[in-house]
Amino acid sequence: PLLVPLLLSLFAKRTMPSGRYDMEENETSSLVNPYNRKSKGGLKRRQLLFVAVVVVVAVIIVAAVIATQNNDKTGDTPSSNEFAASVSVDDVFVHLQQFYNISQQFNNTRSAWLGGFNMSVAYVVSQLNTSDYFDVSVQPFRVDHFLEEKSPSLTFSYDSQGAVANTNIKTMRFSSTGNITAPLKDAHFGCTPADFGDQTGHIALVVRGNCSFYEKGKLALDAGAAGVIFSNSEDYPNQPTNGRVRGGEGNAEYVDLPMIGIGYEYYSTLSTVLAAGVVVEASMSTYGKRTYQDSANIIAEMKNGRSDSVVVVGSHL
């Protein structure tokens, strides 16, 4: 994550933007600024040393890239030593401070869901556009997002006992909203059609492992299930899973069923009861909403250089 501020410290002009990226000088925050080396709770000496080491390593990488990029017009090769000498930790911290300022406007995060990431993109673009080194472009894309609007509920009843609520549950990400009551049917790992059989009118019970959540959910849907309860693996007896149930990257396919996650211990109990031929009635409610967030990649291509020697350097923003 330090590579972006490093590049900005090298190539952007030595003037900082005004407006929304800066906090006012008299503005205070209840949160300790981790990039303020003078304040209590700021970066400690070992952390500063780590930052310095990372900066040195990153400079070596970037300098090596620059050294290979002869100017097509003049044939001159920039001096990597001069390039590295132009880096200072203070300049890097200036940009880290700006990212921190952005996070303070979005509940101490620069997550894409709250807007901090897109403001960070705008900040980096504004800085790179002050440089004469790059042609800067923005590549927009959308990120799928699951929003849980209300906590789920799950109850079981069997052996003539009343409904017993299981509160240690989670909504599986990208679950549909639904409120259903149906008998439970164990599909074990649920990775083949034979595992499910005919699930018509049932809620499928599956355990984590051997295939993806999406594959399990899709097979349950194809088998006629009204909903799916996902158990965590045996290593997590009391920790419910809430994995993502959707197609892989670039494949925005969903399973249109209400889906809840439970811990393995509860699955083991239910599986044993079902294996004994006992009918288990389950009632489940989920409240999920599928949405998306617009985001973007930043592509900065050097204006000068050799077309036969291209080096790509990437970083998380």
Side-chain angles (χ1 to χ4, degrees):
L2 283 170
L3 185 57
V4 172
L6 169 65
L7 291 173
L8 293 180
S9 72
L10 291 170
F11 296 111
K13 300 297 184 183
R14 291 299 193 267
T15 58
M16 297 307 301
S18 59
R20 64 180 182 178
Y21 305 115
D22 283 324
M23 283 184 163
E24 298 296 331
E25 289 184 0
N26 61 352
E27 185 176 354
T28 60
S29 171
S30 60
L31 298 171
V32 175
N33 180 347
Y35 301 124
N36 184 351
R37 291 165 289 164
K38 297 180 180 180
S39 67
K40 182 179 180 181
L43 288 178
K44 298 179 181 178
R45 181 169 298 181
R46 278 192 299 177
Q47 293 170 308
L48 283 173
L49 179 60
F50 170 76
V51 171
V53 170
V54 172
V55 167
V56 169
V57 172
V59 166
I60 293 172
I61 295 173
V62 178
V65 173
I66 299 298
T68 65
Q69 301 301 302
N70 291 346
N71 189 310
D72 287 338
K73 297 179 180 179
T74 65
D76 295 334
T77 301
S79 167
S80 58
N81 290 333
E82 292 177 359
F83 184 80
S86 68
V87 178
S88 75
V89 173
D90 286 340
D91 284 343
V92 173
F93 268 98
V94 166
H95 297 289
L96 287 174
Q97 176 69 57
Q98 296 305 313
F99 288 138
Y100 174 81
N101 291 348
I102 291 172
S103 75
Q104 295 306 278
Q105 301 178 56
F106 298 97
N107 196 29
N108 202 34
T109 178
R110 292 191 297 112
S111 164
W113 316 125
L114 298 180
F117 182 84
N118 287 345
M119 186 175 284
S120 300
V121 168
Y123 169 70
V124 172
V125 170
S126 74
Q127 292 297 284
L128 289 175
N129 279 336
T130 69
S131 167
D132 296 328
Y133 288 93
F134 300 107
D135 288 321
V136 182
S137 61
V138 175
Q139 181 187 61
F141 62 90
R142 282 184 169 179
V143 181
D144 289 344
H145 183 50
F146 176 71
L147 178 65
E148 186 172 27
E149 299 179 309
K150 185 179 176 181
S151 297
S153 65
L154 178 63
T155 61
F156 300 104
S157 61
Y158 55 92
D159 283 344
S160 301
Q161 66 178 5
V164 177
N166 183 352
T167 57
N168 189 25
I169 60 175
K170 290 184 178 180
T171 304
M172 299 295 287
R173 283 177 285 168
F174 296 105
S175 166
S176 296
T177 293
N179 185 350
I180 58 174
T181 298
L184 204 59
K185 188 173 182 180
D186 193 359
H188 306 289
F189 281 109
C191 294
T192 67
D195 288 340
F196 288 95
D198 184 5
Q199 287 276 345
T200 303
H202 290 79
I203 295 173
L205 178 65
V206 297
V207 65
R208 183 177 188 173
N210 293 0
C211 63
S212 69
F213 289 128
Y214 173 73
E215 290 172 292
K216 297 175 190 290
K218 183 66 166 59
L219 286 170
L221 179 65
D222 292 343
V228 187
I229 297 173
F230 291 82
S231 163
N232 213 333
S233 60
E234 193 171 358
D235 294 334
Y236 302 94
N238 299 307
Q239 180 178 329
T241 182
N242 68 329
R244 185 181 69 175
V245 188
R246 55 150 288 183
E249 299 299 329
N251 179 19
E253 293 187 6
Y254 304 104
V255 176
D256 194 17
L257 291 173
M259 295 173 284
I260 283 177
I262 63 174
Y264 184 83
E265 185 175 304
Y266 212 93
Y267 165 80
S268 181
T269 298
L270 292 172
S271 182
T272 300
V273 171
L274 290 169
V278 178
V279 175
V280 179
E281 192 87 356
S283 294
M284 59 187 293
S285 298
T286 55
Y287 309 90
K289 179 181 179 181
R290 301 174 189 135
T291 183
Y292 63 86
Q293 172 66 46
D294 288 315
S295 191
N297 292 318
I298 304 169
I299 301 173
E301 187 172 1
M302 299 193 76
K303 294 180 179 180
N304 298 318
R306 291 166 44 188
S307 60
D308 63 338
S309 179
V310 178
V311 178
V312 177
V313 179
S315 175
H316 290 290
L317 178 57

